[in-house]
Amino acid sequence: MSGTEAGGDRVVGGVPEVDLTDPGVIRDPFTAYGRARERSPLVRLLIPGMPMWAVTRHEDARALLTDPRFEITESSFMRPDVPADCLPYMRTMSEMEGVEHLRLRRLVAPAFTARRAAAFRPRIERVVEGLLDDLPAHAEDGSVDLLWHFARPLPMDVICELVGIPEADRPSWREYGATIASGAGQAFAAAIPAIMRGAEAAVARRREEPGDDLLSDLVRVRDEDGDRLSEIELVMLVWQLVLSGQTPTNLIANAVAALLDHPEQLAALRADPAIVPRAVEELIRWCGPTLLTIPRHAREDVELYGVPIGKGEPVTVAVAAANRDPRAFADPDRLDVTRVPGTPGTASHLGFSHGPHFCVGASLARVQTEVALTALLRRFPVLSPAVPPAGLRVPDPGTWRLSALPVTV
């Protein structure tokens, strides 16, 4: 049977369908996916030109993200039209699988461990304090855009410092980062040639002036043992790591908006700054930017929950549904900054994915968000929204993000 449901869902043959062009779904994906999740562990996403399946429940999502019957391929990404000389650098580590992916991940992972992120905290704190020092100067008509003047520049400054982008090259990378964070597809495509040249220039500079950073380490690996890392892979890693490092932009903005919208949670955090690390985990679960994972494609004809999936068909994880699954989280729709990860009724969130493609920069993103929230709340005790954030949501079915975050400080 089939029938139209509230919020843009349809149930067809027992499988819910979620129309990602429906304004109600875009406005409140958590409710739409939640209804679908309680009907079925598998739903059909209606996307113009590219419908796909989505797993909705937490345990099933974790299983899919480690299921060898599904793989990330070139078709998992909407690749922009780029000049021919840029094409070799467009195949990133994100779309590699198996031993090829593992080889590159092992080269970069040591720079992003929890221990390295913790050791990097003092440098992050300096960047955060500098941005907050400048914040009042950006105020107009009594408010300042926290997204543009804080959440957006912070991750770029941090990742450039970690990777080893020379100071002289950073203004250009800040522009590239702003383009990515704003979701400007055409602008990103137009910037790709300059991004590739920038990555090549950064590699050349670090060959001449090595330092204590990831890029210098990768250059040494390339020059001493070319079998482990090709020149094309080296350039690719530079631009991918730097631009992928923009994840905390939307995470920090969403977290601040959520806290301002929940005064009791904000008060709890102000009263006990020691709970900031657990609060960050809860905020990633409750309002993290990832709504859908990168789609996987079936390597063969398979069956999921009684539904046949043809070879090559795309399947994603609805993170917005899995992270609020009552089977994994007690009272999942309630934001609770005191929630303790790992306790009964609190599973591990999927905000950074799971399995082989778990976000390599997760520890760095966590520390950045912790430092950002701690300093922001300490420096501005009367922080408040200048306009309701709900009206500033970008209609993006894949990423939960804001176009601006005006606040009074």
Side-chain angles (χ1 to χ4, degrees):
M1 63 176 290
S2 67
T4 302
E5 303 289 342
D9 312 41
R10 282 168 43 88
V11 179
V12 178
V15 178
E17 291 186 339
V18 180
D19 183 354
L20 296 194
T21 66
D22 185 306
V25 174
I26 292 175
R27 183 172 55 253
D28 185 3
F30 304 100
T31 296
Y33 283 123
R35 285 196 302 267
R37 179 195 60 232
E38 295 313 303
R39 294 189 184 106
S40 171
L42 187 71
V43 303
R44 186 71 165 164
L45 301 184
L46 303 182
I47 308 170
M50 52 177 297
M52 67 179 68
W53 303 98
V55 174
T56 61
R57 296 176 184 171
H58 187 273
E59 184 177 350
D60 301 318
R62 285 171 59 91
L64 179 81
L65 294 171
T66 56
D67 192 330
R69 297 176 300 170
F70 298 89
E71 63 178 342
I72 294 178
T73 70
E74 180 180 328
S75 299
S76 299
F77 301 85
M78 292 186 291
R79 178 162 292 166
D81 188 21
V82 299
D85 64 318
C86 294
L87 284 174
Y89 305 117
M90 294 300 293
R91 184 170 181 268
T92 69
M93 185 170 62
S94 297
E95 63 189 75
M96 298 176 183
E97 294 280 16
V99 294
E100 185 181 29
H101 173 262
L102 185 60
R103 172 175 57 85
L104 294 184
R105 190 176 178 98
R106 282 176 172 168
L107 289 175
V108 302
F112 294 95
T113 62
R115 177 178 293 180
R116 287 291 293 273
F120 208 67
R121 183 182 288 262
R123 295 162 81 172
I124 297 173
E125 290 173 340
R126 286 196 294 272
V127 174
V128 166
E129 295 294 343
L131 290 170
L132 294 180
D133 286 343
D134 295 339
L135 204 58
H138 296 295
E140 296 181 6
D141 299 324
S143 70
V144 60
D145 187 344
L146 203 64
L147 174 64
W148 185 263
H149 296 294
F150 182 60
R152 186 164 289 172
L154 170 60
M156 180 55 74
D157 286 355
V158 169
I159 196 67
C160 280
E161 185 82 6
L162 179 70
V163 171
I165 298 296
E167 188 71 42
D169 298 340
R170 293 181 189 180
S172 295
W173 286 99
R174 291 187 187 104
E175 292 183 16
Y176 306 147
T179 299
I180 300 304
S182 65
Q186 286 300 110
F188 172 55
I192 282 177
I195 290 172
M196 300 311 174
R197 301 295 84 81
E200 290 174 334
V203 169
R205 189 181 293 263
R206 276 296 173 254
R207 275 203 171 98
E208 295 176 0
E209 305 170 6
D212 181 20
D213 50 60
L214 174 58
L215 180 50
S216 297
D217 292 343
L218 292 176
V219 167
R220 280 192 289 272
V221 170
R222 163 63 189 154
D223 293 348
E224 295 172 6
D225 186 358
D227 291 339
R228 296 176 64 197
L229 184 67
S230 72
E231 191 72 15
I232 287 176
E233 290 170 337
L234 174 57
V235 173
M236 174 274 291
L237 283 173
V238 172
W239 81 261
Q240 185 192 12
L241 290 171
V242 173
L243 296 185
S244 296
Q246 304 317 292
T247 297
T249 290
N250 294 318
L251 173 56
I252 292 168
N254 287 350
V256 173
L259 291 171
L260 292 177
D261 197 41
H262 293 77
E264 75 290 351
Q265 300 299 312
L266 179 59
L269 205 53
R270 287 191 186 280
D272 186 6
I275 67 171
V276 167
R278 76 174 72 159
V280 167
E281 296 304 306
E282 172 70 349
L283 288 159
I284 296 169
R285 180 195 74 82
W286 196 82
C287 62
T290 301
L291 298 175
L292 300 169
T293 64
I294 296 169
R296 273 75 174 159
H297 292 83
R299 296 177 186 264
E300 58 194 52
D301 291 342
V302 300
E303 186 176 287
L304 285 180
Y305 318 109
V307 177
I309 309 293
K311 179 180 179 180
E313 287 194 63
V315 184
T316 185
V317 165
V319 176
N323 274 352
R324 297 199 186 188
D325 185 354
R327 299 159 190 80
F329 304 95
D331 199 5
D333 289 319
R334 183 171 68 91
L335 175 64
D336 179 6
V337 296
T338 66
R339 194 186 298 264
V340 181
T343 56
T346 304
S348 298
H349 64 72
L350 300 177
F352 294 119
S353 193
H354 177 67
H357 286 275
F358 179 81
C359 176
V360 71
S363 293
L364 186 66
R366 286 181 165 110
V367 172
Q368 283 187 73
T369 308
E370 290 173 16
V371 172
L373 292 180
T374 299
L376 184 67
L377 299 185
R378 171 177 50 81
R379 295 278 298 268
F380 301 105
V382 294
L383 187 74
S384 60
V387 299
L392 300 171
R393 285 285 161 197
V394 177
D396 183 340
T399 306
W400 186 242
R401 60 191 177 93
L402 293 160
S403 61
L405 183 54
V407 298
T408 56
V409 296

